Amino acid sequence: MTISEGTADPAPAAGPPATPPATPSATADGGIDRLNPFDGLFLRAEHLARIQDYARELALAVGAAAGPGVVEGYEVSAQDGVLRVGGGLAVSAEGRPLRSQRLVTLPLTGLDPGPDGFWWVEAAPDSRPYGDAPVQGGYCDDPCAGTATTRRPYVAEGVRIQLAEAAERGLDNQLPAARRNFLASRIFAAERTEHAPWPYGTGGAHLPASWAPPAASPGRPKTVRLAVLLRDTADPAGWVVDTWAARRDRAAAPPQRYWQSRLGMRPWDAYTAQILQFQDQLAQVRGVAPASTADLRPLLEQLALIGDQQFLRSHTKDQVGREVARLVTGLGEGARAAPAGPYTLEQLGIVELPPAGYLPYTPEGERGAALDGIRGLLGQQVDLRYCSCALPDIARAVEEARHRDRIRLDEPVGVDVLLPVDDRDAPVGDWVAFVRRELRHCYDPGGGGDRQDGTNDRQDSTR
């Protein structure tokens, strides 16, 4: 039968509605298994362990999703050949909370670094069984053994403080005062290229071809770094602890840190660690500089006296030995004494600074003389510019410098010194901030090289 033009189609036959095709799906185990209880199940230790494992794996997954780092506490210091680590709370990359409620001490006697060696101070998970309870319900074991069996029913989960040896090439070639800053700078540089080479790594500034999300990690670190431990080469019995070269406070989830690194940005916890590392080292070495020749003159005179033949004939061997011991002590103290004159950060072993930070400043007297002190502290290579700023503007400027390169004092780097002032342009406080200057060339390629503001020279636009 042929249906002519304009004739309606016949009505479909009545019947049940057609079932839509099934959407493809698949499942994958997540490694988080729980107990499926039912009446009549004989509850055994393996079932209780499965309940605990389920809660544990859930907690680890949630902890790992929020990111690793130190939450509070864990102050590290070294004195008299003993490492001291206070209590605190941290979260490892696998998501486990690492909580310590007491001071932990480690003897450093006999600890000898290898070539270019240092140590990471780490918090690692640890546990120990304790308690005493009889084993009951073994229907065959009790009658056959003849004696009751006991086990430890509890497990205390805590933290183990440990040292992990590492090495950084070139560390032993640095002067004693420069070792700490050198190592911190190398650690920060490696951290910036942690996830991908673009745009700061060995691959150059080539745009990556793949922007795939980060792959699932087969295994995450179980430890959290708390500090770096260095031998003090100027004092064979001394130690140098640098907290912020290693420690990262808990601040961001792993995807945020990953993509910030991939896009050439600096994560916030890494940026604050760089500022705090500089401020901590500056606070420790402030007022301390290598002794000058004038400072060592009395010690040199004492050395000449000890070497005199008449002195040797008129003193016993033990007396000469005591004089030599006093001379050695004086030389060590003189090397750490504060000089009368000004000094630079390079003389104190600080050659590289974070992109922003804070410096001591004395606003009394003429402002020009006070600013000369800042110039003397930073050295002659840095291109300085001075700006008066309100406190909120300084905070904003420091925040904006977050992704810029670090400042080397032996290079002509543009740096702005920000003087905090009130509404009347009067200095506030006894400090100034410094920020690496923004570098931006703006021009119109179709306008013959002329800038839109009418100037012909290409200049830096800075803030």
Side-chain angles (χ1 to χ4, degrees), residues 162-223:
Q162 62 186 26
L163 298 179
E165 189 170 2
E168 181 60 48
R169 180 179 297 179
L171 181 60
D172 288 346
N173 296 332
Q174 306 301 311
L175 296 174
R179 284 164 53 85
R180 177 178 177 180
N181 182 255
F182 172 83
L183 179 59
S185 299
R186 290 298 184 91
I187 293 173
F188 293 142
E191 188 174 42
R192 191 158 202 181
T193 59
E194 176 183 4
H195 294 295
W198 183 81
Y200 297 102
T202 56
H206 301 291
L207 198 64
S210 173
W211 295 98
S217 176
R220 297 182 175 91
K222 300 179 181 296
T223 61

Short mmCIF file of all heavy atoms in Angstrom, two decimals, residues 162-223:
data_model
loop_
_atom_site.label_atom_id
_atom_site.label_comp_id
_atom_site.label_asym_id
_atom_site.label_seq_id
_atom_site.Cartn_x
_atom_site.Cartn_y
_atom_site.Cartn_z
N GLN A 162 64.25 10.90 63.46
CA GLN A 162 65.40 10.24 62.86
C GLN A 162 66.17 11.21 61.98
O GLN A 162 65.67 12.27 61.59
CB GLN A 162 64.94 9.05 62.00
CG GLN A 162 64.05 9.44 60.84
CD GLN A 162 63.49 8.25 60.09
OE1 GLN A 162 63.34 7.17 60.65
NE2 GLN A 162 63.18 8.42 58.81
N LEU A 163 67.41 10.84 61.69
CA LEU A 163 68.28 11.61 60.81
C LEU A 163 68.49 10.82 59.53
O LEU A 163 68.80 9.63 59.57
CB LEU A 163 69.63 11.89 61.48
CG LEU A 163 69.61 12.71 62.77
CD1 LEU A 163 71.01 12.88 63.30
CD2 LEU A 163 68.97 14.06 62.53
N ALA A 164 68.30 11.48 58.40
CA ALA A 164 68.52 10.86 57.09
C ALA A 164 69.65 11.61 56.40
O ALA A 164 69.54 12.82 56.13
CB ALA A 164 67.25 10.91 56.24
N GLU A 165 70.75 10.93 56.13
CA GLU A 165 71.92 11.58 55.53
C GLU A 165 71.67 11.88 54.05
O GLU A 165 71.04 11.11 53.33
CB GLU A 165 73.16 10.71 55.68
CG GLU A 165 74.45 11.42 55.28
CD GLU A 165 75.69 10.63 55.67
OE1 GLU A 165 75.56 9.52 56.21
OE2 GLU A 165 76.80 11.14 55.42
N ALA A 166 72.14 13.04 53.62
CA ALA A 166 72.03 13.46 52.23
C ALA A 166 73.29 14.23 51.86
O ALA A 166 74.17 14.45 52.69
CB ALA A 166 70.79 14.32 52.02
N ALA A 167 73.39 14.63 50.61
CA ALA A 167 74.56 15.36 50.13
C ALA A 167 74.13 16.38 49.09
O ALA A 167 73.16 16.18 48.37
CB ALA A 167 75.60 14.40 49.53
N GLU A 168 74.85 17.49 49.05
CA GLU A 168 74.64 18.54 48.05
C GLU A 168 75.99 18.91 47.47
O GLU A 168 76.89 19.37 48.18
CB GLU A 168 73.98 19.77 48.68
CG GLU A 168 73.72 20.88 47.70
CD GLU A 168 72.79 20.47 46.55
OE1 GLU A 168 71.74 19.87 46.83
OE2 GLU A 168 73.15 20.74 45.38
N ARG A 169 76.15 18.69 46.17
CA ARG A 169 77.45 18.91 45.54
C ARG A 169 77.89 20.35 45.71
O ARG A 169 77.13 21.29 45.50
CB ARG A 169 77.37 18.57 44.05
CG ARG A 169 78.67 18.78 43.29
CD ARG A 169 78.54 18.41 41.83
NE ARG A 169 78.21 16.99 41.68
CZ ARG A 169 78.02 16.42 40.49
NH1 ARG A 169 78.10 17.15 39.38
NH2 ARG A 169 77.74 15.13 40.42
N GLY A 170 79.13 20.53 46.09
CA GLY A 170 79.71 21.86 46.27
C GLY A 170 79.60 22.40 47.67
O GLY A 170 80.13 23.48 47.96
N LEU A 171 78.93 21.69 48.57
CA LEU A 171 78.75 22.20 49.93
C LEU A 171 80.07 22.36 50.66
O LEU A 171 80.30 23.36 51.36
CB LEU A 171 77.81 21.26 50.70
CG LEU A 171 77.48 21.67 52.15
CD1 LEU A 171 76.80 23.02 52.18
CD2 LEU A 171 76.62 20.60 52.81
N ASP A 172 80.96 21.39 50.51
CA ASP A 172 82.25 21.46 51.22
C ASP A 172 83.18 22.52 50.65
O ASP A 172 84.18 22.85 51.28
CB ASP A 172 82.94 20.09 51.16
CG ASP A 172 82.25 19.06 52.05
OD1 ASP A 172 81.43 19.48 52.89
OD2 ASP A 172 82.52 17.85 51.89
N ASN A 173 82.89 23.05 49.47
CA ASN A 173 83.73 24.09 48.88
C ASN A 173 83.35 25.49 49.37
O ASN A 173 84.03 26.46 49.00
CB ASN A 173 83.62 24.05 47.35
CG ASN A 173 84.15 22.76 46.77
OD1 ASN A 173 85.04 22.13 47.35
ND2 ASN A 173 83.61 22.35 45.64
N GLN A 174 82.30 25.61 50.17
CA GLN A 174 81.85 26.91 50.64
C GLN A 174 82.59 27.31 51.91
O GLN A 174 83.02 26.46 52.70
CB GLN A 174 80.34 26.89 50.91
CG GLN A 174 79.51 26.40 49.75
CD GLN A 174 79.70 27.25 48.52
OE1 GLN A 174 79.64 28.48 48.57
NE2 GLN A 174 79.93 26.59 47.39
N LEU A 175 82.72 28.61 52.11
CA LEU A 175 83.27 29.11 53.36
C LEU A 175 82.33 28.73 54.50
O LEU A 175 81.12 28.56 54.30
CB LEU A 175 83.45 30.62 53.30
CG LEU A 175 84.48 31.14 52.28
CD1 LEU A 175 84.45 32.67 52.23
CD2 LEU A 175 85.87 30.64 52.64
N PRO A 176 82.85 28.59 55.72
CA PRO A 176 82.00 28.16 56.84
C PRO A 176 80.74 29.01 57.00
O PRO A 176 79.66 28.47 57.23
CB PRO A 176 82.93 28.28 58.05
CG PRO A 176 84.29 28.08 57.49
CD PRO A 176 84.27 28.69 56.13
N ALA A 177 80.86 30.33 56.86
CA ALA A 177 79.69 31.20 57.07
C ALA A 177 78.68 31.09 55.94
O ALA A 177 77.51 31.42 56.11
CB ALA A 177 80.14 32.65 57.22
N ALA A 178 79.11 30.61 54.76
CA ALA A 178 78.24 30.59 53.58
C ALA A 178 77.56 29.24 53.37
O ALA A 178 76.71 29.12 52.48
CB ALA A 178 79.04 30.96 52.33
N ARG A 179 77.90 28.23 54.14
CA ARG A 179 77.37 26.89 53.90
C ARG A 179 75.85 26.84 54.06
O ARG A 179 75.15 26.23 53.27
CB ARG A 179 78.03 25.88 54.85
CG ARG A 179 79.44 25.52 54.47
CD ARG A 179 80.19 24.86 55.62
NE ARG A 179 79.48 23.73 56.18
CZ ARG A 179 79.54 22.48 55.71
NH1 ARG A 179 80.27 22.23 54.64
NH2 ARG A 179 78.88 21.50 56.30
N ARG A 180 75.34 27.48 55.10
CA ARG A 180 73.90 27.41 55.37
C ARG A 180 73.09 28.05 54.26
O ARG A 180 72.12 27.46 53.77
CB ARG A 180 73.62 28.08 56.71
CG ARG A 180 72.14 28.12 57.07
CD ARG A 180 71.93 28.74 58.43
NE ARG A 180 70.53 28.87 58.77
CZ ARG A 180 70.07 29.38 59.89
NH1 ARG A 180 70.94 29.81 60.83
NH2 ARG A 180 68.77 29.46 60.13
N ASN A 181 73.47 29.24 53.83
CA ASN A 181 72.74 29.92 52.77
C ASN A 181 72.86 29.18 51.44
O ASN A 181 71.91 29.09 50.67
CB ASN A 181 73.23 31.35 52.63
CG ASN A 181 72.48 32.14 51.58
OD1 ASN A 181 72.97 32.40 50.49
ND2 ASN A 181 71.24 32.52 51.91
N PHE A 182 74.04 28.62 51.18
CA PHE A 182 74.25 27.85 49.95
C PHE A 182 73.32 26.64 49.89
O PHE A 182 72.65 26.39 48.88
CB PHE A 182 75.71 27.40 49.86
CG PHE A 182 76.00 26.45 48.73
CD1 PHE A 182 76.24 26.91 47.45
CD2 PHE A 182 76.04 25.08 48.96
CE1 PHE A 182 76.50 26.03 46.40
CE2 PHE A 182 76.29 24.19 47.92
CZ PHE A 182 76.53 24.67 46.64
N LEU A 183 73.25 25.89 50.98
CA LEU A 183 72.42 24.69 51.00
C LEU A 183 70.94 25.04 50.89
O LEU A 183 70.20 24.41 50.13
CB LEU A 183 72.67 23.90 52.29
CG LEU A 183 71.85 22.63 52.46
CD1 LEU A 183 72.09 21.65 51.32
CD2 LEU A 183 72.16 21.96 53.80
N ALA A 184 70.51 26.07 51.61
CA ALA A 184 69.10 26.47 51.53
C ALA A 184 68.74 26.90 50.11
O ALA A 184 67.66 26.54 49.60
CB ALA A 184 68.82 27.59 52.52
N SER A 185 69.62 27.64 49.45
CA SER A 185 69.34 28.09 48.08
C SER A 185 69.22 26.91 47.13
O SER A 185 68.35 26.90 46.24
CB SER A 185 70.44 29.04 47.61
OG SER A 185 70.51 30.19 48.44
N ARG A 186 70.07 25.90 47.29
CA ARG A 186 69.99 24.72 46.42
C ARG A 186 68.70 23.93 46.68
O ARG A 186 68.09 23.41 45.73
CB ARG A 186 71.21 23.82 46.66
CG ARG A 186 72.52 24.40 46.15
CD ARG A 186 72.47 24.58 44.64
NE ARG A 186 73.72 25.04 44.10
CZ ARG A 186 74.69 24.25 43.65
NH1 ARG A 186 74.53 22.93 43.70
NH2 ARG A 186 75.79 24.75 43.15
N ILE A 187 68.29 23.83 47.93
CA ILE A 187 67.06 23.12 48.24
C ILE A 187 65.86 23.85 47.64
O ILE A 187 64.96 23.22 47.04
CB ILE A 187 66.90 22.97 49.76
CG1 ILE A 187 67.97 22.03 50.32
CG2 ILE A 187 65.51 22.46 50.12
CD1 ILE A 187 67.99 21.96 51.83
N PHE A 188 65.83 25.17 47.75
CA PHE A 188 64.72 25.94 47.19
C PHE A 188 64.70 25.83 45.66
O PHE A 188 63.63 25.76 45.04
CB PHE A 188 64.82 27.40 47.61
CG PHE A 188 64.61 27.62 49.07
CD1 PHE A 188 65.36 28.56 49.76
CD2 PHE A 188 63.67 26.89 49.77
CE1 PHE A 188 65.16 28.78 51.12
CE2 PHE A 188 63.46 27.09 51.13
CZ PHE A 188 64.21 28.03 51.81
N ALA A 189 65.87 25.83 45.03
CA ALA A 189 65.94 25.71 43.58
C ALA A 189 65.41 24.36 43.11
O ALA A 189 64.69 24.26 42.11
CB ALA A 189 67.37 25.93 43.09
N ALA A 190 65.76 23.29 43.82
CA ALA A 190 65.27 21.96 43.46
C ALA A 190 63.76 21.86 43.67
O ALA A 190 63.06 21.18 42.90
CB ALA A 190 65.99 20.90 44.28
N GLU A 191 63.26 22.54 44.66
CA GLU A 191 61.83 22.49 44.94
C GLU A 191 61.02 23.16 43.84
O GLU A 191 59.91 22.74 43.53
CB GLU A 191 61.56 23.18 46.28
CG GLU A 191 60.14 23.05 46.79
CD GLU A 191 60.00 23.64 48.17
OE1 GLU A 191 60.58 24.73 48.42
OE2 GLU A 191 59.32 23.04 49.01
N ARG A 192 61.58 24.18 43.21
CA ARG A 192 60.84 24.88 42.17
C ARG A 192 60.66 24.04 40.93
O ARG A 192 59.72 24.23 40.16
CB ARG A 192 61.56 26.19 41.82
CG ARG A 192 60.72 27.09 40.93
CD ARG A 192 61.12 28.53 41.01
NE ARG A 192 60.04 29.40 40.59
CZ ARG A 192 60.13 30.72 40.53
NH1 ARG A 192 61.24 31.33 40.89
NH2 ARG A 192 59.10 31.45 40.14
N THR A 193 61.54 23.09 40.69
CA THR A 193 61.44 22.22 39.51
C THR A 193 61.03 20.80 39.91
O THR A 193 61.36 19.84 39.24
CB THR A 193 62.78 22.18 38.77
OG1 THR A 193 63.80 21.70 39.67
CG2 THR A 193 63.16 23.55 38.27
N GLU A 194 60.31 20.68 41.02
CA GLU A 194 59.99 19.37 41.57
C GLU A 194 59.11 18.54 40.65
O GLU A 194 59.36 17.36 40.42
CB GLU A 194 59.30 19.55 42.92
CG GLU A 194 58.84 18.25 43.57
CD GLU A 194 58.11 18.51 44.87
OE1 GLU A 194 57.89 19.69 45.23
OE2 GLU A 194 57.74 17.52 45.52
N HIS A 195 58.07 19.12 40.08
CA HIS A 195 57.07 18.34 39.35
C HIS A 195 57.31 18.32 37.84
O HIS A 195 56.92 17.37 37.18
CB HIS A 195 55.68 18.90 39.63
CG HIS A 195 55.24 18.71 41.05
ND1 HIS A 195 55.04 17.46 41.60
CD2 HIS A 195 54.99 19.61 42.03
CE1 HIS A 195 54.67 17.60 42.86
NE2 HIS A 195 54.63 18.88 43.15
N ALA A 196 57.88 19.36 37.28
CA ALA A 196 58.06 19.40 35.82
C ALA A 196 59.16 20.41 35.49
O ALA A 196 59.39 21.35 36.23
CB ALA A 196 56.75 19.78 35.13
N PRO A 197 59.83 20.22 34.35
CA PRO A 197 60.92 21.13 34.01
C PRO A 197 60.48 22.50 33.53
O PRO A 197 61.25 23.44 33.55
CB PRO A 197 61.67 20.39 32.90
CG PRO A 197 60.64 19.50 32.29
CD PRO A 197 59.73 19.10 33.41
N TRP A 198 59.24 22.62 33.07
CA TRP A 198 58.82 23.91 32.52
C TRP A 198 58.37 24.84 33.62
O TRP A 198 57.65 24.43 34.52
CB TRP A 198 57.66 23.70 31.53
CG TRP A 198 57.21 24.96 30.86
CD1 TRP A 198 57.80 25.55 29.80
CD2 TRP A 198 56.10 25.78 31.22
NE1 TRP A 198 57.13 26.70 29.46
CE2 TRP A 198 56.07 26.86 30.33
CE3 TRP A 198 55.14 25.71 32.22
CZ2 TRP A 198 55.11 27.87 30.40
CZ3 TRP A 198 54.18 26.71 32.30
CH2 TRP A 198 54.16 27.77 31.39
N PRO A 199 58.72 26.15 33.58
CA PRO A 199 59.65 26.77 32.63
C PRO A 199 61.04 26.98 33.19
O PRO A 199 61.84 27.70 32.62
CB PRO A 199 58.97 28.11 32.37
CG PRO A 199 58.36 28.46 33.69
CD PRO A 199 57.96 27.17 34.33
N TYR A 200 61.37 26.39 34.38
CA TYR A 200 62.64 26.67 35.03
C TYR A 200 63.64 25.54 34.98
O TYR A 200 64.77 25.70 35.40
CB TYR A 200 62.37 27.02 36.51
CG TYR A 200 61.54 28.25 36.69
CD1 TYR A 200 60.20 28.17 37.00
CD2 TYR A 200 62.10 29.52 36.53
CE1 TYR A 200 59.42 29.31 37.15
CE2 TYR A 200 61.33 30.65 36.69
CZ TYR A 200 60.00 30.55 36.99
OH TYR A 200 59.24 31.67 37.14
N GLY A 201 63.25 24.38 34.50
CA GLY A 201 64.14 23.24 34.58
C GLY A 201 65.05 23.11 33.39
O GLY A 201 65.26 24.03 32.60
N THR A 202 65.59 21.89 33.22
CA THR A 202 66.58 21.64 32.17
C THR A 202 65.95 21.68 30.78
O THR A 202 66.65 21.85 29.79
CB THR A 202 67.22 20.26 32.39
OG1 THR A 202 66.19 19.26 32.43
CG2 THR A 202 67.99 20.24 33.69
N GLY A 203 64.62 21.52 30.69
CA GLY A 203 63.98 21.54 29.39
C GLY A 203 63.80 22.92 28.81
O GLY A 203 63.28 23.07 27.70
N GLY A 204 64.19 23.96 29.54
CA GLY A 204 64.06 25.32 29.05
C GLY A 204 62.63 25.82 29.15
O GLY A 204 61.80 25.30 29.89
N ALA A 205 62.31 26.83 28.36
CA ALA A 205 61.00 27.47 28.43
C ALA A 205 60.05 26.97 27.35
O ALA A 205 59.12 27.66 26.98
CB ALA A 205 61.18 28.99 28.30
N HIS A 206 60.30 25.76 26.83
CA HIS A 206 59.41 25.22 25.82
C HIS A 206 58.07 24.84 26.44
O HIS A 206 58.01 24.22 27.50
CB HIS A 206 60.03 23.99 25.16
CG HIS A 206 61.35 24.28 24.50
ND1 HIS A 206 61.47 25.05 23.37
CD2 HIS A 206 62.61 23.91 24.84
CE1 HIS A 206 62.74 25.15 23.03
NE2 HIS A 206 63.45 24.47 23.90
N LEU A 207 57.00 25.19 25.78
CA LEU A 207 55.67 24.90 26.29
C LEU A 207 55.43 23.40 26.26
O LEU A 207 55.64 22.75 25.23
CB LEU A 207 54.61 25.61 25.44
CG LEU A 207 53.23 25.78 26.04
CD1 LEU A 207 53.30 26.68 27.27
CD2 LEU A 207 52.26 26.35 25.01
N PRO A 208 55.03 22.80 27.38
CA PRO A 208 54.82 21.34 27.40
C PRO A 208 53.73 20.92 26.42
O PRO A 208 52.76 21.65 26.18
CB PRO A 208 54.40 21.05 28.85
CG PRO A 208 54.92 22.22 29.62
CD PRO A 208 54.86 23.40 28.71
N ALA A 209 53.89 19.73 25.86
CA ALA A 209 52.90 19.21 24.92
C ALA A 209 51.73 18.55 25.63
O ALA A 209 50.66 18.40 25.06
CB ALA A 209 53.56 18.21 23.97
N SER A 210 51.94 18.13 26.87
CA SER A 210 50.89 17.42 27.60
C SER A 210 50.54 18.18 28.87
O SER A 210 51.42 18.66 29.58
CB SER A 210 51.35 16.00 27.96
OG SER A 210 50.41 15.37 28.81
N TRP A 211 49.25 18.27 29.10
CA TRP A 211 48.74 18.89 30.34
C TRP A 211 47.84 17.90 31.07
O TRP A 211 46.83 18.27 31.66
CB TRP A 211 47.99 20.18 30.02
CG TRP A 211 48.88 21.23 29.45
CD1 TRP A 211 49.06 21.53 28.12
CD2 TRP A 211 49.74 22.11 30.17
NE1 TRP A 211 49.98 22.54 27.98
CE2 TRP A 211 50.41 22.92 29.22
CE3 TRP A 211 50.01 22.29 31.52
CZ2 TRP A 211 51.33 23.89 29.59
CZ3 TRP A 211 50.93 23.25 31.90
CH2 TRP A 211 51.58 24.04 30.93
N ALA A 212 48.23 16.65 31.03
CA ALA A 212 47.45 15.61 31.69
C ALA A 212 47.51 15.80 33.20
O ALA A 212 48.49 16.31 33.76
CB ALA A 212 48.00 14.24 31.32
N PRO A 213 46.45 15.41 33.91
CA PRO A 213 46.47 15.54 35.38
C PRO A 213 47.53 14.63 35.99
O PRO A 213 47.98 13.67 35.35
CB PRO A 213 45.06 15.10 35.79
CG PRO A 213 44.56 14.27 34.65
CD PRO A 213 45.19 14.85 33.43
N PRO A 214 47.96 14.93 37.20
CA PRO A 214 49.00 14.11 37.83
C PRO A 214 48.53 12.68 38.02
O PRO A 214 47.36 12.43 38.36
CB PRO A 214 49.24 14.81 39.18
CG PRO A 214 48.00 15.61 39.43
CD PRO A 214 47.50 16.02 38.08
N ALA A 215 49.43 11.74 37.80
CA ALA A 215 49.10 10.33 37.95
C ALA A 215 48.98 9.98 39.43
O ALA A 215 49.55 10.65 40.30
CB ALA A 215 50.16 9.46 37.28
N ALA A 216 48.26 8.92 39.70
CA ALA A 216 48.13 8.45 41.08
C ALA A 216 49.49 7.98 41.59
O ALA A 216 50.23 7.29 40.88
CB ALA A 216 47.12 7.30 41.15
N SER A 217 49.82 8.39 42.79
CA SER A 217 51.12 8.05 43.36
C SER A 217 51.08 6.62 43.89
O SER A 217 50.23 6.29 44.72
CB SER A 217 51.48 9.03 44.48
OG SER A 217 52.68 8.65 45.10
N PRO A 218 52.01 5.75 43.44
CA PRO A 218 52.01 4.37 43.95
C PRO A 218 52.42 4.29 45.41
O PRO A 218 52.05 3.36 46.12
CB PRO A 218 53.02 3.67 43.04
CG PRO A 218 53.91 4.76 42.55
CD PRO A 218 53.06 5.99 42.45
N GLY A 219 53.22 5.24 45.86
CA GLY A 219 53.66 5.24 47.25
C GLY A 219 54.06 6.64 47.67
O GLY A 219 54.81 7.31 46.97
N ARG A 220 53.55 7.09 48.78
CA ARG A 220 53.83 8.44 49.26
C ARG A 220 54.80 8.38 50.43
O ARG A 220 54.80 7.42 51.19
CB ARG A 220 52.54 9.14 49.68
CG ARG A 220 51.54 9.36 48.55
CD ARG A 220 50.31 10.10 49.05
NE ARG A 220 49.40 10.44 47.98
CZ ARG A 220 48.40 9.67 47.58
NH1 ARG A 220 48.21 8.50 48.19
NH2 ARG A 220 47.61 10.02 46.59
N PRO A 221 55.62 9.42 50.59
CA PRO A 221 56.57 9.43 51.71
C PRO A 221 55.84 9.31 53.05
O PRO A 221 54.80 9.92 53.27
CB PRO A 221 57.27 10.79 51.57
CG PRO A 221 57.07 11.18 50.13
CD PRO A 221 55.75 10.61 49.73
N LYS A 222 56.42 8.53 53.95
CA LYS A 222 55.83 8.34 55.27
C LYS A 222 56.38 9.33 56.29
O LYS A 222 55.87 9.40 57.41
CB LYS A 222 56.10 6.90 55.75
CG LYS A 222 55.51 5.81 54.86
CD LYS A 222 55.83 4.43 55.40
CE LYS A 222 55.25 3.34 54.51
NZ LYS A 222 53.78 3.37 54.47
N THR A 223 57.44 10.06 55.92
CA THR A 223 58.08 10.96 56.87
C THR A 223 57.77 12.41 56.52
O THR A 223 57.35 12.74 55.41
CB THR A 223 59.60 10.76 56.86
OG1 THR A 223 60.12 11.05 55.56
CG2 THR A 223 59.95 9.31 57.23
#
